[in-house]
Amino acid sequence: MLATFLIGLREGLEAALVVGILVAYITRIDRREVLPRLWAGIALAVGLALAVGAVLTFGAYSLTFEAQEIIGGTLSLLAVGMVTWMIFWMQKTARTLKASLEGGIDRALAQGGLWALIAIGFVSVAREGLETTLLLWSMVQSFGDAPAALLGALLGLLAAIVIGWLLARGMLRLDLRRFFLWTGAFLIIVAAGVLAYAVHDLQEGGALPGPFGALAPVDPTTGAVLVGFAGFPYGWAFDLSAQVPPGSALAAVLQATVGFMPRMSWLQVVVWVLYVSIVGAFFMRGTRRSRVRTARPEPSGAEQRSATAEPSSTERAPETSSARSNTNPNPTSAAVPAEATSHQGAA
């Protein structure tokens, strides 16, 4: 419930901010008559997300177990890809998001078509909706506790709507850069866990080699799949089911936060470590670059033009022969007022 709450809060707040920017801009340019078109597009996006969730939930019951596992693993991979792309997209375009959304509204109004603004509202929300649906569905599949997971997601979405409304009304101040930084880091860990579970599904479905297939190393005496280094690469990396029962609260918390399962295959562990290492490294590098850009803002075009157009001291006051004749011949006495002048200018 905690993991799905945070996911619903993060994705819902992204959608709420986008909708808030669009509605505020349309209101500011005094075009309230087109707001129903925007809301229609947003409603279509929400309906699409719900329809996809319903199809994923109820559409696979007639398939075989292996087919269900393969489809579930594939969709989990798709969810991880969308989440990863969204994390870096938000990190890269957060500073220009408002300008790009307002530009899209201007183009839609210039076209004057009914479907232009509907498309703006649909595209702006459908991306977050589909991403949230796939990610939540994957997590529900892995947790096996659909009511609690869905309740957490619903509470997160409701909290996001309330926070977005308070931000739009100016009743709440939130450091969005820090919020998306921490939630982005959390989503990387969550996505790594979903990726590990996707590998588990694909191994159960026979699409990937693992402990459930013919390549799994087994103990010749007991026939059990080997655990530890003896089971590398297609056996179990570890089996802590005795210490952390799979149905316990501790197992649920660990799986929701870091993607830990009491028993994981070597391929799951390798994939989890590689994803966190590679994606986390790129995420931290992008964060450092964003901080550098924020700390050292580039000069504006007006400042650059002003600096270019400002004449130098030589151009402003060309030295003439009469000025040279009036210059104090004593270099020591001339240096004193010049130094004092420079100190005054610095002050």
Side-chain angles (χ1 to χ4, degrees):
M1 185 173 178
L2 174 62
T4 55
F5 173 83
L6 291 176
I7 290 172
L9 178 63
R10 153 88 188 205
E11 302 300 325
L13 188 55
E14 285 186 12
L17 290 175
V18 169
V19 172
I21 291 172
L22 295 175
V23 172
Y25 184 66
I26 290 176
T27 304
R28 189 167 71 247
I29 62 177
D30 198 19
R31 294 296 304 271
R32 293 177 180 270
E33 73 278 2
V34 301
L35 279 177
R37 305 179 190 177
L38 180 68
W39 288 117
I42 294 171
L44 289 175
V46 174
L48 175 63
L50 294 176
V52 171
V55 170
L56 293 177
T57 303
F58 304 108
Y61 287 147
S62 60
L63 301 176
T64 63
F65 173 78
E66 290 77 10
Q68 291 182 27
E69 296 302 303
I70 292 175
I71 292 176
T74 304
L75 291 176
S76 295
L77 292 177
L78 179 61
V80 171
M82 291 184 66
V83 169
T84 306
W85 176 80
M86 178 58 69
I87 290 172
F88 289 106
W89 178 85
M90 179 59 71
Q91 186 183 60
K92 181 179 179 180
T93 63
R95 300 177 65 186
T96 60
L97 178 62
K98 182 178 180 180
S100 61
L101 290 174
E102 292 179 352
I105 290 291
D106 290 335
R107 289 189 295 270
L109 292 176
Q111 293 175 2
L114 172 65
W115 292 100
L117 272 173
I118 295 178
I120 289 289
F122 177 81
V123 173
S124 300
V125 179
R127 181 170 49 200
E128 282 82 5
L130 290 176
E131 176 187 341
T132 305
T133 299
L134 287 174
L135 188 57
L136 291 177
W137 181 83
S138 301
M139 297 188 72
V140 167
Q141 294 295 110
S142 62
F143 293 155
D145 189 0
L150 294 177
L151 178 60
L154 180 60
L155 292 176
L157 291 173
L158 291 177
I161 293 173
V162 172
I163 293 174
W165 182 80
L166 292 176
L167 290 173
R169 301 286 295 180
M171 302 169 63
L172 177 66
R173 289 187 176 273
L174 180 66
D175 190 345
L176 294 176
R177 183 187 63 83
R178 183 168 298 178
F179 172 82
F180 286 117
L181 171 64
W182 287 104
T183 55
F186 172 75
L187 276 182
I188 291 176
I189 303 297
V190 171
V194 174
L195 180 59
Y197 195 82
V199 171
H200 179 272
D201 282 348
L202 294 175
Q203 287 178 325
E204 281 192 324
L208 290 176
F212 310 101
L215 296 178
V218 297
D219 189 332
T221 304
T222 62
V225 178
L226 296 178
V227 180
F229 289 105
F232 185 83
Y234 301 129
W236 297 111
F238 56 83
D239 188 354
L240 302 177
S241 301
Q243 293 77 16
V244 185
S248 64
L250 178 59
V253 171
L254 291 176
Q255 185 173 349
T257 52
V258 298
F260 169 84
M261 286 178 278
R263 188 173 66 169
M264 298 180 68
S265 67
W266 273 108
L267 187 56
Q268 286 181 276
V269 173
V270 169
V271 165
W272 190 95
V273 172
L274 287 178
Y275 181 88
V276 172
S277 302
I278 296 174
V279 177
F282 280 104
F283 181 75
M284 293 306 298
R285 187 174 70 173
T287 301
R288 287 194 295 268
R289 289 181 177 178
S290 178
R291 288 177 177 175
V292 170
R293 288 195 299 266
T294 304
R296 299 179 179 179
E298 296 182 358
S300 62
E303 292 174 348
Q304 293 177 350
R305 289 191 299 270
S306 175
T308 305
E310 184 179 359
S312 63
S313 58
T314 305
E315 294 173 347
R316 287 196 304 266
E319 188 178 16
T320 60
S321 57
S322 59
R324 285 195 301 268
S325 63
N326 294 329
T327 304
N328 192 338
N330 188 352
T332 305
S333 60
V336 174
E339 184 180 2
T341 305
S342 64
H343 281 300
Q344 292 174 358

